[in-house]
Amino acid sequence: MSLNSFGHLFRVTTWGESHGPALGATVDGCPPGVHIDESMIQQWLDKRKPGQNKFTTQRREPDQVKILSGVFEGQTTGTPVQLMIENTDQRSKDYGDIMDKFRPGHADITYYQKYGIRDYRGGGRSSARETAARVAAGGLAREAIKSIAPDLRITGYMTQMGPHGIDRSKIDLDQINKNPFWTPDADAAATWADYLDGIRKSGSSVGAVIEVIAQGVPAGLGAPIYGKLDTDLAAAMMSINAVKGVEIGDGMAAATLTGEANADEISMGPDGPVYGSNHAGGILGGISTGQDVVVRFAVKPTSSILTTRDTITKSGEAAEIITKGRHDPCVGIRAVPVGEAMMACVILDHLLLHRGQIGENRGIIG
Amino acid sequence: MSLNSFGHLFRVTTWGESHGPALGATVDGCPPGVHIDESMIQQWLDKRKPGQNKFTTQRREPDQVKILSGVFEGQTTGTPVQLMIENTDQRSKDYGDIMDKFRPGHADITYYQKYGIRDYRGGGRSSARETAARVAAGGLAREAIKSIAPDLRITGYMTQMGPHGIDRSKIDLDQINKNPFWTPDADAAATWADYLDGIRKSGSSVGAVIEVIAQGVPAGLGAPIYGKLDTDLAAAMMSINAVKGVEIGDGMAAATLTGEANADEISMGPDGPVYGSNHAGGILGGISTGQDVVVRFAVKPTSSILTTRDTITKSGEAAEIITKGRHDPCVGIRAVPVGEAMMACVILDHLLLHRGQIGENRGIIG
Amino acid sequence: MSLNSFGHLFRVTTWGESHGPALGATVDGCPPGVHIDESMIQQWLDKRKPGQNKFTTQRREPDQVKILSGVFEGQTTGTPVQLMIENTDQRSKDYGDIMDKFRPGHADITYYQKYGIRDYRGGGRSSARETAARVAAGGLAREAIKSIAPDLRITGYMTQMGPHGIDRSKIDLDQINKNPFWTPDADAAATWADYLDGIRKSGSSVGAVIEVIAQGVPAGLGAPIYGKLDTDLAAAMMSINAVKGVEIGDGMAAATLTGEANADEISMGPDGPVYGSNHAGGILGGISTGQDVVVRFAVKPTSSILTTRDTITKSGEAAEIITKGRHDPCVGIRAVPVGEAMMACVILDHLLLHRGQIGENRGIIG
Amino acid sequence: MSLNSFGHLFRVTTWGESHGPALGATVDGCPPGVHIDESMIQQWLDKRKPGQNKFTTQRREPDQVKILSGVFEGQTTGTPVQLMIENTDQRSKDYGDIMDKFRPGHADITYYQKYGIRDYRGGGRSSARETAARVAAGGLAREAIKSIAPDLRITGYMTQMGPHGIDRSKIDLDQINKNPFWTPDADAAATWADYLDGIRKSGSSVGAVIEVIAQGVPAGLGAPIYGKLDTDLAAAMMSINAVKGVEIGDGMAAATLTGEANADEISMGPDGPVYGSNHAGGILGGISTGQDVVVRFAVKPTSSILTTRDTITKSGEAAEIITKGRHDPCVGIRAVPVGEAMMACVILDHLLLHRGQIGENRGIIG
């Protein structure tokens, strides 16, 4: 019910704004006995951190996480874990031009209309900085998963930048960490580098598609109707800043298939059912099949661009706006670790939910 | 937290299976004083009812709703409204071939793996019959909305069937009720009739895309981070049977846009901000802008087809399966009123949430 | 969040009014594979049923439960269980005098002030008939508990009627089913019979105290801060109609104790810690100790009495009121199975919650 | 669902332990535009602060609150408010004797049994220090209430210490701030001073009863069945450390009343209904009547005493224990501001809930 929370049993509430003293995640319901320290969480924040190459904003934020509660002698205690990230640079700079004008494509206008408050300093609560808190919570979720499903692996990568998609026949997960775009197609990475350089130099921005897969998910996670695994994944991904679409398995393209093409045929393998294809994205009826869980989401281009746009001021007067400053030409790049974090939180939550309602596995085939 | 519930303040819990005595929706949190009777709900159930033309399953289910509680002398009392639909035909027929075999692309295997129960009679809880309960709840939501936002209008329609999309320049909402596909493009309706007839005769099935719009939504609905309007809409639509993708505004295509193209420019109109375009689908930062709220979702083809597929039995033996019987060649048709119902429930819920936290509108522009 | 729901994982939503077509409980999150049929639930409803002796209202309501969903071939499926009880006598009788007057001590005035609806036919949603739905849900909870904690036993009984308390040295749980008051003190039963007969004949009513104990509860159930076992028990009992006080262990009398007297000393037994006393009522820091969980609650006298009281009408005019008809001289009697049901629901919920977050027992002593 | 959260719309999640770096409250759902600064919250923390006189623990904790988010230019923004209190003294001191022994009447044994973690440094999450976070959240709630119900006033006071109760005929709310026990009976204060001095010197401890009233609560707050105002208050108070009983209005004594005595007669006053008495404690059917809302709760004596008690160690060996150090002879004193804070949070939550579901007042009498 809490507006800023997600999850059923593993429940994450994020708090904080881009220009306040700090932001963070209050994580409730984490199993006890999970071995964790700040460095294990920091590695994921570092992946999301800005300023690592010319393709992300040049702001310098160390995004250093502190564990304030819920961990004792290197283990979670089962009580709330508070993960705090202090905002190192919260000076009130000169916002000048932007102060009273709404930015087309930005949430400043709707936040003002809803709350009657104009936080002109930056995105405030709507800033993508909020996602740092999710990445921290996701880092904890990853460690907690290890003790329940040790073979489970979560991997995110970019599959499209602007008009340029990857060639799926060239996917090599080992490539992901070898290019600044977290893409598994090395050739695409080369193309995108040129393309994005042009976008950046022209002061423009561009959207992207990110795919996140979870391998080794046991069959049986998820439950009808609003506890479906795909329902929760859709909500988790759509809640990320700038996301406009979410797909499971074949996604929107499922509309074009016939029943024959869509049916993932089943045979019996040594460890249970084996599927001939994965149009379903690892989820049938909201419940995991044991195949890879496959989620994709589209991130729109950031609204901060160097081209003049028509807008209005708080008092309703017509105006023109141009957003100077250091911004991400493709915010989708930094959305990769965020998508991974949301996947980790959702999967852990469903591992706990399943164990709570069902206990041990019940329906063994074969 | 309830697995079979959705909504924050207007909270709907659906219950029931395809072959039990009844199914329904327990609706909690409805405002008091809403004028309602069974016929006002029945009209929407009739829209979803099977057997209305050759393009939907020929099963005959009257789907008659009964109000069991929460309404007194034609008005809601503010206490839970129980909407029950009795299953008129729940005889145990001969399931023969299907009884022990899992159907590729169907949830019977994951339900068995999760719960250890094999309800061989039909889809059980995973059956699309469950959506009748949502449509009933949506009918109540529509009436409740009228007393809060009288000009709000919700409309669903089909924009794609298999490989055939509509021509957006031909959209005419008045056409929706004039063809069996609820499509606003009369030419598409003609094409689809031929196409689907072929699908039906060959015992195949096909997917579809449905779009639902809400017009007249006041600015300011939705809240960070898991109470975002688009987060809740994504979850609501993804929770519908067979849905594999959800889009807001430009959806997945937002990935291909530049920042300039994506920015919906703003000017001042007589009643507040006016936008030059609606790439955002009426939602920025999770909060409604006052523009049309636009949601799309893809429905996969039904798994019930006349072509033989490879599968396994409960005991893990290889088998072939073919699903005889009366099925929908394009279940997407009947998903239109379901999508509308989910939109109605989500919008009403957010009208109440906004009123609860904020009270009156606060941030007036101009 | 749902106003008419309780429980975290085992989640019960009750619905229905005293004079509508039916009432019931929608139970979500029940484990699959629980063996259940209507008779196993009916036995508890029969215990609560009115008209069984001269000390309860002479209304005749069979209170027959029907399982509408969630059970297949005698086992729960893991999906929502709908338990419906039809109201057999819902005729609009002549309410005459009561129709426009508020009853002192009754919820009719606050319901009207909140909802603006005057359901003059009876208590409507505030009627104690609602508790039948809880008893039904509790019957299911009892069966589900058996598969998880087979030795767990829940017992309710009356410890006080009006000014007359039991003698705790005479408690004999075998006596409970041998008197119309469900009291474990046979001598008290004799005294109360005379006392209550006088109350009944004079058209008066009287309050009572009910105690519910759960034996065999494993140590470790409950969690901080709002998931404490005693927090949930307090809410569960206070939510029962007419309850004005809830106690755990020594309850209000704990205020009079010194630290020495209150400390339940610990020694080591063959199966774990053993306590020298149970002032704590089986709960420390919100978590069960393994001792008997002991809850008590006070039920106020019913407001339906034959003595004239001053009141006002809906239009604010002064009036006198007297409530004729068949009412319970001591509603506390019928609250015994209701208290047991709430205990069963809360304990089951916490068994599931604990299993979800923690899995197996972790902190073994000795 | 979150274990460490409470509230529906105004939702408070507390986090932190007695010996970690910090503790606090994450407050979600606060209305925007509430004027607030740290000093307005600090005043309530100061009331709860230890070491103010010889009757509370001599530990020195400044309990200084910091607002980390959700407030901009002196007003709440409508997004989560993070209230953090740093633990100034978190050194690992010599716990010696206590390290491996469980304390009778303390939660250390159940925490260990549940979580398998032994935080020997102090109470950990079960420490009463957690209530500082609630007091901070309550301070914010009080300010938010002012903008919705300006005349609403919340007052807590002690009505019993050990065996010594107040004389209700001597209640004078102006006395509350004039004695170290927050009692409205000046004579009782004098008696208690002597009594508690004896308890303190003997190294013992004693329980207490606290009463909290809310004046000026509008009629209509609360809703069936698990959203009842008294249900939420019972849970709120029972969730406070060491509380063993909760009463509304006449509380447990309601059991002794007849229907005539219990009926609060109604007449019409200039501003609506007026009641001749308040046995109901301002709540009928879970909904406020407009009278004073009256809640009482009993606090058991602290388990930290200088008398030797029998116990066991983590490995199950018999042991004796004595708790040295600086402890509260009557923790009930410091529970007064905690009870007030919980009342403030619950009332605000219900003000928002009512506004959400109902909007304006509906059922006007007269």
Side-chain angles (χ1 to χ4, degrees):
Chain A
M1 175 56 199
S2 196
L3 302 175
N4 290 272
S5 302
F6 62 92
H8 305 265
L9 282 181
F10 182 80
R11 193 155 172 83
V12 177
T13 304
T14 73
W15 54 272
E17 299 93 44
S18 57
H19 287 72
L23 55 82
T26 311
V27 183
D28 197 6
C30 186
V34 175
H35 293 269
I36 193 79
D37 63 27
E38 286 163 356
S39 71
M40 295 158 88
I41 293 174
Q42 191 61 45
Q43 61 177 314
W44 305 109
L45 282 164
D46 289 347
K47 186 170 176 182
R48 180 199 160 280
K49 198 166 61 177
Q52 301 192 94
N53 59 54
K54 63 179 172 182
F55 300 117
T56 56
T57 176
Q58 296 306 301
R59 261 178 292 132
R60 295 284 167 190
E61 293 158 345
D63 281 356
Q64 201 73 35
V65 69
K66 286 186 190 170
I67 298 175
L68 295 187
S69 68
V71 176
F72 179 59
E73 295 184 339
Q75 289 186 59
T76 57
T77 60
T79 62
V81 181
Q82 182 60 261
L83 303 169
M84 181 177 72
I85 298 161
E86 285 169 294
N87 288 323
T88 49
D89 181 8
Q90 34 164 315
R91 286 167 301 155
S92 247
K93 64 172 179 178
D94 177 20
Y95 287 91
D97 199 42
I98 289 182
M99 193 152 168
D100 282 322
K101 297 177 188 171
F102 298 114
R103 285 184 265 170
H106 192 276
D108 54 2
I109 189 167
T110 52
Y111 267 68
Y112 178 70
Q113 288 179 299
K114 182 175 193 77
Y115 298 115
I117 302 281
R118 172 93 181 130
D119 183 347
Y120 47 79
R121 299 168 303 171
R125 183 66 182 148
S126 77
S127 165
R129 263 194 75 63
E130 182 271 342
T131 60
R134 305 181 188 217
V135 171
L140 175 58
R142 283 178 185 263
E143 297 306 317
I145 287 171
K146 283 182 187 169
S147 63
I148 302 175
D151 297 330
L152 206 151
R153 190 161 310 170
I154 291 165
T155 312
Y157 43 85
M158 198 181 285
T159 60
Q160 187 177 325
M161 178 185 290
H164 305 292
I166 62 167
D167 178 344
R168 290 203 159 255
S169 70
K170 294 182 184 164
I171 288 184
D172 173 5
L173 299 186
D174 291 337
Q175 290 296 321
I176 293 174
N177 290 317
K178 296 181 180 162
N179 62 76
F181 310 112
W182 317 110
T183 183
D185 173 353
D187 292 350
T191 308
W192 296 357
D194 284 345
Y195 171 73
L196 194 57
D197 217 31
I199 291 284
R200 182 177 64 83
K201 285 175 181 162
S202 67
S204 183
S205 64
V206 72
V209 174
I210 286 89
E211 186 167 289
V212 184
I213 60 171
Q215 299 169 298
V217 176
L221 301 194
I225 297 296
Y226 235 53
K228 283 180 173 173
L229 186 57
D230 41 5
T231 299
D232 280 352
L233 285 171
M237 300 308 171
M238 192 64 92
S239 77
I240 301 172
N241 302 49
V243 171
K244 302 303 284 184
V246 179
E247 302 187 311
I248 305 290
D250 280 5
M252 298 305 292
T256 66
L257 297 179
T258 61
E260 295 78 35
N262 181 65
D264 299 314
E265 290 185 300
I266 318 174
S267 60
M268 197 62 193
D271 304 319
V274 172
Y275 294 82
S277 52
N278 190 13
H279 296 284
I283 302 174
L284 284 172
I287 301 174
S288 62
T289 63
Q291 287 193 281
D292 290 357
V293 172
V294 182
V295 184
R296 253 183 327 282
F297 57 92
V299 179
K300 69 176 183 183
T302 178
S303 60
S304 300
I305 49 174
L306 287 178
T307 307
T308 302
R309 299 277 95 185
D310 289 339
T311 190
I312 57 175
T313 65
K314 222 173 75 174
S315 53
E317 282 158 17
E320 292 192 330
I321 192 165
I322 184 168
T323 318
K324 290 168 190 160
R326 298 159 302 181
H327 293 289
D328 285 283
C330 179
V331 283
I333 298 172
R334 294 171 57 208
V336 172
V338 181
E340 290 177 328
M342 296 310 281
M343 175 72 94
C345 290
V346 171
I347 295 280
L348 173 60
D349 188 31
H350 277 278
L351 284 166
L352 302 183
L353 264 181
H354 182 81
R355 184 164 72 177
Q357 189 190 4
I358 315 288
E360 294 169 33
N361 280 334
R362 286 181 40 86
I364 306 302
I365 294 172
Chain B
M1 175 57 200
S2 194
L3 302 174
N4 290 272
S5 302
F6 62 92
H8 305 264
L9 281 181
F10 183 80
R11 192 155 173 83
V12 177
T13 305
T14 74
W15 54 273
E17 300 92 45
S18 58
H19 288 71
L23 56 82
T26 310
V27 183
D28 197 4
C30 186
V34 176
H35 292 270
I36 193 82
D37 62 28
E38 287 163 355
S39 71
M40 295 157 88
I41 294 174
Q42 192 62 45
Q43 61 177 315
W44 305 109
L45 283 163
D46 289 347
K47 186 170 176 182
R48 181 199 161 280
K49 197 166 62 177
Q52 300 191 96
N53 58 55
K54 65 180 172 182
F55 299 118
T56 56
T57 175
Q58 295 307 300
R59 260 177 293 129
R60 295 284 167 188
E61 292 157 347
D63 281 355
Q64 200 73 36
V65 69
K66 286 185 189 170
I67 299 175
L68 296 187
S69 68
V71 176
F72 179 59
E73 296 184 337
Q75 289 186 61
T76 56
T77 60
T79 62
V81 180
Q82 182 59 260
L83 302 168
M84 180 176 74
I85 298 161
E86 286 170 293
N87 289 323
T88 49
D89 181 9
Q90 35 164 312
R91 285 167 301 157
S92 246
K93 62 173 182 178
D94 176 19
Y95 288 90
D97 199 43
I98 289 182
M99 194 152 168
D100 283 323
K101 298 177 187 171
F102 297 113
R103 285 184 265 170
H106 192 275
D108 55 0
I109 189 167
T110 51
Y111 266 69
Y112 177 71
Q113 288 179 299
K114 181 175 194 77
Y115 298 115
I117 302 281
R118 172 93 179 129
D119 184 347
Y120 47 79
R121 299 168 305 171
R125 183 67 182 148
S126 77
S127 165
R129 261 193 77 62
E130 182 271 341
T131 60
R134 305 180 189 218
V135 171
L140 175 58
R142 282 178 186 263
E143 297 304 319
I145 287 172
K146 282 182 188 170
S147 62
I148 302 175
D151 298 329
L152 206 152
R153 190 162 309 169
I154 291 166
T155 312
Y157 44 84
M158 197 181 285
T159 59
Q160 187 177 325
M161 178 185 288
H164 304 293
I166 62 167
D167 178 345
R168 289 203 161 255
S169 71
K170 293 182 186 165
I171 288 184
D172 172 5
L173 299 185
D174 291 337
Q175 290 296 321
I176 294 174
N177 290 317
K178 296 181 179 162
N179 63 74
F181 310 111
W182 316 111
T183 183
D185 173 353
D187 292 350
T191 309
W192 295 356
D194 284 347
Y195 171 73
L196 194 57
D197 216 32
I199 291 283
R200 183 177 63 84
K201 286 176 179 160
S202 68
S204 184
S205 64
V206 73
V209 175
I210 286 88
E211 186 167 290
V212 184
I213 59 170
Q215 300 169 298
V217 175
L221 301 193
I225 296 295
Y226 236 51
K228 283 181 173 173
L229 186 57
D230 41 4
T231 299
D232 280 351
L233 285 170
M237 300 308 171
M238 192 64 93
S239 77
I240 300 172
N241 304 51
V243 171
K244 301 304 283 186
V246 179
E247 301 187 314
I248 306 289
D250 280 5
M252 299 304 292
T256 66
L257 297 179
T258 60
E260 295 78 36
N262 182 64
D264 300 314
E265 290 183 299
I266 316 173
S267 60
M268 195 64 192
D271 305 320
V274 172
Y275 293 83
S277 52
N278 190 12
H279 296 284
I283 302 174
L284 285 172
I287 301 174
S288 61
T289 63
Q291 288 193 279
D292 289 358
V293 172
V294 181
V295 183
R296 254 182 327 281
F297 57 92
V299 179
K300 69 177 184 183
T302 178
S303 60
S304 300
I305 49 174
L306 285 178
T307 307
T308 302
R309 300 277 93 184
D310 290 339
T311 189
I312 56 175
T313 66
K314 221 173 74 173
S315 53
E317 283 158 16
E320 291 192 331
I321 192 165
I322 184 168
T323 318
K324 290 167 191 162
R326 300 159 300 181
H327 292 289
D328 286 283
C330 179
V331 284
I333 299 172
R334 294 172 58 209
V336 172
V338 181
E340 290 177 327
M342 297 310 282
M343 175 72 93
C345 290
V346 171
I347 295 280
L348 173 60
D349 188 31
H350 277 279
L351 284 166
L352 301 183
L353 263 182
H354 181 80
R355 185 164 74 177
Q357 190 190 3
I358 316 285
E360 296 168 30
N361 279 334
R362 287 180 40 86
I364 307 301
I365 294 173
Chain C
M1 175 57 202
S2 195
L3 302 175
N4 290 272
S5 303
F6 61 92
H8 304 265
L9 282 181
F10 182 79
R11 191 154 174 85
V12 177
T13 305
T14 74
W15 54 272
E17 299 93 45
S18 57
H19 287 72
L23 55 82
T26 310
V27 183
D28 197 5
C30 186
V34 176
H35 293 271
I36 193 81
D37 62 28
E38 286 162 356
S39 71
M40 295 158 87
I41 293 174
Q42 192 62 45
Q43 61 176 316
W44 305 109
L45 282 164
D46 289 348
K47 185 169 177 183
R48 181 200 161 279
K49 197 167 60 176
Q52 301 192 95
N53 58 54
K54 64 180 172 182
F55 300 119
T56 56
T57 174
Q58 296 306 301
R59 261 177 292 131
R60 294 284 168 189
E61 293 158 346
D63 281 355
Q64 202 71 36
V65 70
K66 287 186 188 170
I67 298 175
L68 295 187
S69 68
V71 176
F72 179 59
E73 296 184 337
Q75 288 186 61
T76 57
T77 61
T79 62
V81 181
Q82 182 59 261
L83 303 168
M84 181 177 72
I85 298 162
E86 285 169 294
N87 288 324
T88 49
D89 181 8
Q90 34 164 314
R91 284 168 302 157
S92 247
K93 64 172 179 177
D94 177 19
Y95 287 91
D97 198 43
I98 289 182
M99 194 154 167
D100 283 322
K101 297 176 188 172
F102 297 113
R103 285 184 266 170
H106 191 276
D108 55 2
I109 189 166
T110 51
Y111 267 68
Y112 177 70
Q113 287 179 299
K114 181 176 193 77
Y115 298 116
I117 302 282
R118 171 93 180 130
D119 184 346
Y120 47 78
R121 300 168 303 171
R125 182 68 181 149
S126 77
S127 164
R129 262 194 76 62
E130 182 271 341
T131 59
R134 305 180 188 217
V135 171
L140 175 57
R142 282 178 186 264
E143 297 305 317
I145 287 171
K146 282 182 188 169
S147 62
I148 302 175
D151 297 329
L152 205 151
R153 190 161 310 170
I154 291 165
T155 312
Y157 43 84
M158 197 180 286
T159 59
Q160 186 176 326
M161 178 184 291
H164 304 293
I166 62 167
D167 178 346
R168 289 203 160 254
S169 71
K170 294 182 184 164
I171 288 184
D172 173 4
L173 298 186
D174 291 338
Q175 290 296 321
I176 294 173
N177 290 317
K178 296 181 180 162
N179 62 74
F181 311 112
W182 317 111
T183 183
D185 173 353
D187 293 349
T191 310
W192 296 356
D194 285 345
Y195 171 73
L196 194 58
D197 217 30
I199 291 284
R200 183 178 64 83
K201 285 175 181 163
S202 67
S204 183
S205 64
V206 73
V209 174
I210 285 88
E211 185 166 291
V212 184
I213 59 171
Q215 299 168 298
V217 176
L221 301 194
I225 295 296
Y226 235 53
K228 282 180 173 173
L229 187 56
D230 41 4
T231 300
D232 280 352
L233 285 170
M237 300 309 172
M238 192 63 92
S239 77
I240 300 172
N241 303 49
V243 172
K244 302 303 285 184
V246 179
E247 302 188 313
I248 306 290
D250 280 4
M252 298 306 292
T256 66
L257 296 179
T258 61
E260 295 77 36
N262 181 65
D264 299 314
E265 290 184 299
I266 317 174
S267 60
M268 196 63 192
D271 304 320
V274 172
Y275 293 82
S277 51
N278 190 13
H279 296 285
I283 302 174
L284 284 172
I287 301 174
S288 62
T289 62
Q291 287 193 281
D292 290 358
V293 172
V294 181
V295 184
R296 255 183 327 281
F297 57 92
V299 179
K300 69 177 183 182
T302 178
S303 60
S304 300
I305 48 174
L306 285 178
T307 306
T308 302
R309 299 277 95 185
D310 289 338
T311 189
I312 56 174
T313 66
K314 221 173 76 173
S315 53
E317 283 158 15
E320 291 192 329
I321 192 164
I322 183 167
T323 317
K324 291 167 190 162
R326 300 159 301 180
H327 293 289
D328 285 283
C330 180
V331 284
I333 298 172
R334 294 171 58 209
V336 172
V338 182
E340 291 176 329
M342 297 309 282
M343 175 72 93
C345 290
V346 170
I347 294 280
L348 173 60
D349 188 31
H350 277 278
L351 284 166
L352 302 183
L353 263 182
H354 181 81
R355 185 164 73 178
Q357 190 190 3
I358 315 286
E360 294 168 34
N361 280 334
R362 286 180 40 86
I364 307 302
I365 293 171
Chain D
M1 174 56 200
S2 196
L3 302 174
N4 290 272
S5 302
F6 62 94
H8 304 266
L9 282 181
F10 182 79
R11 193 155 172 83
V12 177
T13 305
T14 73
W15 55 272
E17 300 92 44
S18 57
H19 288 72
L23 55 81
T26 310
V27 183
D28 198 4
C30 186
V34 175
H35 292 271
I36 192 83
D37 62 29
E38 286 162 356
S39 70
M40 295 157 88
I41 294 174
Q42 191 62 45
Q43 61 177 314
W44 305 109
L45 283 164
D46 288 347
K47 185 170 177 183
R48 180 198 161 280
K49 199 166 60 177
Q52 301 191 95
N53 57 55
K54 65 181 173 183
F55 299 118
T56 56
T57 175
Q58 296 307 301
R59 260 177 293 131
R60 296 284 166 188
E61 293 157 346
D63 281 355
Q64 201 72 34
V65 69
K66 286 185 189 170
I67 299 175
L68 296 187
S69 67
V71 176
F72 179 58
E73 297 184 338
Q75 289 186 60
T76 57
T77 61
T79 62
V81 180
Q82 182 59 260
L83 302 169
M84 181 176 75
I85 299 161
E86 285 169 294
N87 288 323
T88 49
D89 181 9
Q90 35 164 315
R91 285 166 302 157
S92 246
K93 61 173 182 178
D94 177 20
Y95 287 90
D97 198 44
I98 289 183
M99 194 153 168
D100 283 323
K101 297 177 187 170
F102 298 113
R103 284 185 266 170
H106 192 276
D108 55 0
I109 189 167
T110 52
Y111 266 69
Y112 177 71
Q113 287 179 300
K114 182 176 194 76
Y115 297 115
I117 302 282
R118 172 94 179 128
D119 184 347
Y120 48 79
R121 300 168 304 171
R125 182 67 182 149
S126 77
S127 165
R129 261 194 77 62
E130 182 271 341
T131 59
R134 304 179 189 218
V135 171
L140 175 58
R142 282 178 186 263
E143 298 304 318
I145 287 172
K146 283 182 188 170
S147 62
I148 302 175
D151 297 330
L152 207 151
R153 190 162 309 170
I154 292 166
T155 312
Y157 43 85
M158 196 180 286
T159 59
Q160 186 176 326
M161 178 185 290
H164 304 293
I166 61 167
D167 178 346
R168 289 201 161 256
S169 70
K170 293 182 185 165
I171 288 185
D172 173 5
L173 300 185
D174 290 338
Q175 290 295 322
I176 295 173
N177 290 316
K178 297 181 179 161
N179 62 76
F181 310 113
W182 317 110
T183 183
D185 173 354
D187 293 350
T191 310
W192 296 356
D194 285 346
Y195 171 73
L196 194 57
D197 216 31
I199 291 284
R200 183 177 64 83
K201 285 176 180 160
S202 68
S204 183
S205 63
V206 72
V209 175
I210 285 88
E211 186 167 290
V212 184
I213 59 171
Q215 299 168 299
V217 175
L221 300 195
I225 296 295
Y226 236 52
K228 283 180 173 172
L229 186 57
D230 41 4
T231 299
D232 280 352
L233 285 170
M237 300 309 170
M238 192 64 93
S239 77
I240 300 172
N241 303 50
V243 172
K244 302 303 284 184
V246 179
E247 302 187 312
I248 306 290
D250 279 6
M252 299 305 291
T256 66
L257 296 180
T258 61
E260 295 78 35
N262 182 63
D264 299 315
E265 290 184 300
I266 317 174
S267 59
M268 195 63 193
D271 304 320
V274 172
Y275 293 82
S277 52
N278 190 12
H279 296 285
I283 301 175
L284 285 172
I287 301 175
S288 61
T289 63
Q291 289 193 278
D292 289 358
V293 172
V294 181
V295 184
R296 253 183 325 282
F297 57 92
V299 180
K300 69 177 184 183
T302 178
S303 60
S304 299
I305 48 175
L306 285 178
T307 307
T308 301
R309 299 277 93 185
D310 288 340
T311 189
I312 56 175
T313 66
K314 222 173 74 173
S315 53
E317 283 157 17
E320 291 191 331
I321 192 165
I322 184 168
T323 318
K324 290 168 190 162
R326 299 160 301 180
H327 292 289
D328 286 283
C330 179
V331 283
I333 298 172
R334 293 172 58 209
V336 172
V338 181
E340 291 177 328
M342 297 310 281
M343 174 71 93
C345 290
V346 170
I347 294 279
L348 173 60
D349 188 31
H350 277 279
L351 285 166
L352 302 182
L353 264 181
H354 181 80
R355 185 164 74 178
Q357 190 190 3
I358 315 285
E360 297 169 30
N361 280 334
R362 286 180 42 86
I364 307 301
I365 293 173

